[in-house]
Amino acid sequence: MAILPLAPGETIGILGGGQLGRMLAQAASRLGFDVAILEPAPDAPAGRVAAHTVRGAYDDPRALEALAAVASLVTFEFENVPAGAVAHLTAQEVEVAPNARSLAIAQDRVEEKSFLNSIGVPTVAFAAADSPQSAEAAMALIGAPALMKTRREGYDGKGQRWVEHAAEAAAVFESLGGKPVILEAPADFVRELSVIAARGRDGELAIYPMAENHHENGVLRRSVAPAAVTPALAEQAERIAAQVLTGLDYVGVIGIELFELSDGRLLVNEIAPRVHNTGHWTMDGCEVDQFEQHIRAIAGWPLGPTAAILRVEMLNLLGDEADGWLKHAGEPETRLHLYGKRDAKPGRKMGHVNRVSPLLPARR
């Protein structure tokens, strides 16, 4: 097991070689750590900035053992890492953070909402189904319309469909592959918000200001932070974040997506046990961004400050929008972050820009 706090010069392993892994590796490097990436795809963005790359499937025992041989502790960049991979590393006496329980809960939408409700965190009403018949029964319980999602996997709007009428439930279930699903009641929300929060190994909490988020076709398009919220709403979000982090005995950064209702209440949409797209604004809006904060937390270091120093509008660059890099680079208020991906497929996140401006007065 790692000796904590982890000293500069040690190696941190990351399961996943995408853009989040790349930005985590860059943050770790600034703090003096080396990084080893485990990634099946060749020429992955994170692998090109890491000291070591292990090629292999996330659940390949030999690849995991190769990672364990060089890494003092391991984290992950996305929540669909096979649970068996974390179990295998733990059996090799490699410290993994966040913990396996957090990963398992976030991988199953029913388990996730059940956990949130169990610790007193509100969500929309929901029901589980694993057959066309139980999908119809769940619809009778939830009512139409309802959002049907696969219980596992699916991101950026994938693996989900609205069911407008109860009679459609069985057909929609089959269209999603006949896999176990969750049906969720619609949330009558006025806007989508999120909070990025961290918990250290000693239980210390660090919570960033909230972001207001706008999606297109199920994909995050832009975030504005700090969001214009009242102190009461900010306190509510901070309380939710503390309940989630403590309830999971969490170590690292977590993203919590929220719905703000017209009466001022917040519902949790979902949690992501990792650094999060809605926290990219922190890279230019805070002294310590979410990526460095995650490395600090898992390494057992003190957490850094989370106060905003600038207002940021974060815009995802999708597909060939990243070809406008020269224009963005010439805008004095714009900070450009490109992910080093080779193929600009439509809708693929190729980078983001943070447009900075002075902070606005706080709402009362």
Side-chain angles (χ1 to χ4, degrees):
M1 286 290 185
I3 298 175
L4 300 172
L6 200 66
E10 296 291 315
T11 297
I12 295 174
I14 301 176
L15 297 171
Q19 69 262 23
L20 298 179
R22 181 184 178 98
M23 291 182 276
L24 282 169
Q26 291 167 330
S29 178
R30 292 197 303 270
L31 298 181
F33 296 111
D34 286 341
V35 168
I37 301 293
L38 172 56
E39 167 62 38
D43 198 33
R48 297 199 302 278
V49 300
H52 312 279
T53 299
V54 178
R55 282 284 305 282
Y58 301 125
D59 56 358
D60 180 345
R62 285 186 294 182
L64 290 166
E65 286 161 16
L67 183 68
V70 296
S72 300
L73 61 84
V74 173
T75 189
F76 42 86
E77 68 147 5
F78 69 117
E79 61 268 42
N80 289 329
V81 171
V86 174
H88 187 89
L89 287 167
T90 302
Q92 299 293 312
E93 297 190 344
V94 176
E95 177 74 20
V96 181
N99 58 38
R101 179 169 175 254
S102 302
L103 185 65
I105 286 173
Q107 286 180 343
D108 186 312
R109 290 183 171 91
V110 173
E111 293 294 330
E112 179 183 69
K113 283 186 165 52
S114 298
F115 161 74
L116 290 169
N117 290 173
S118 75
I119 61 170
V121 172
T123 66
V124 296
F126 65 95
D130 58 9
S131 69
Q133 295 75 26
S134 60
E136 291 176 340
M139 277 298 295
L141 182 65
I142 297 298
L147 185 59
M148 187 182 293
K149 301 177 180 178
T150 53
R151 282 182 65 159
R152 304 179 70 85
E153 300 181 339
Y155 60 94
D156 289 345
K158 298 177 177 67
Q160 61 184 54
R161 279 188 59 188
W162 280 99
V163 186
E164 299 294 341
H165 305 284
E168 300 171 355
V172 173
F173 176 85
E174 296 291 3
S175 75
L176 291 175
K179 301 174 182 177
V181 297
I182 183 172
L183 282 96
E184 299 177 355
D188 185 21
F189 62 89
V190 295
R191 59 177 171 168
E192 296 180 64
L193 298 165
S194 60
V195 62
I196 303 296
R199 184 173 181 268
R201 292 188 177 274
D202 60 355
E204 178 188 6
L205 299 180
I207 302 173
Y208 289 90
M210 300 167 73
E212 180 175 335
N213 307 307
H214 303 267
H215 291 78
E216 294 178 7
N217 301 316
V219 178
L220 180 68
R221 192 54 165 152
R222 59 189 285 267
S223 294
V224 178
V229 299
T230 63
L233 200 68
E235 289 171 10
Q236 191 179 162
E238 290 171 6
R239 185 167 61 251
I240 287 171
Q243 288 174 273
V244 171
L245 290 166
T246 304
L248 290 172
D249 192 22
Y250 196 87
V251 172
V253 162
I254 195 168
I256 304 175
E257 296 182 9
L258 304 160
F259 293 134
E260 180 188 358
L261 305 185
S262 58
D263 62 4
R265 290 184 300 126
L266 291 174
L267 300 181
V268 173
N269 178 30
E270 62 182 36
I271 60 176
R274 54 173 171 82
V275 288
H276 197 257
N277 197 173
T278 63
H280 289 356
W281 72 273
T282 64
M283 298 175 76
D284 299 293
C286 299
E287 291 181 43
V288 172
D289 65 39
Q290 65 166 342
F291 300 99
E292 179 179 327
Q293 196 78 274
H294 185 77
I295 298 299
R296 284 171 171 259
I298 65 173
W301 286 29
L303 301 184
T306 57
I309 56 175
L310 289 169
R311 179 180 184 271
V312 179
E313 178 188 26
M314 189 283 300
L315 180 70
N316 275 326
L317 300 176
L318 307 178
D320 60 9
E321 292 173 352
D323 294 344
W325 55 268
L326 189 59
K327 171 182 175 295
H328 295 309
E331 297 168 345
E333 76 284 2
T334 298
R335 310 292 179 262
L336 177 63
H337 301 272
L338 296 175
Y339 303 152
K341 295 179 179 179
R342 304 301 192 194
D343 301 319
K345 300 174 183 177
R348 191 182 192 197
K349 294 173 183 174
M350 302 299 293
H352 69 272
V353 293
N354 282 337
R355 294 196 171 103
V356 301
S357 59
L359 290 172
L360 298 175
R363 280 182 63 182
R364 298 293 180 185

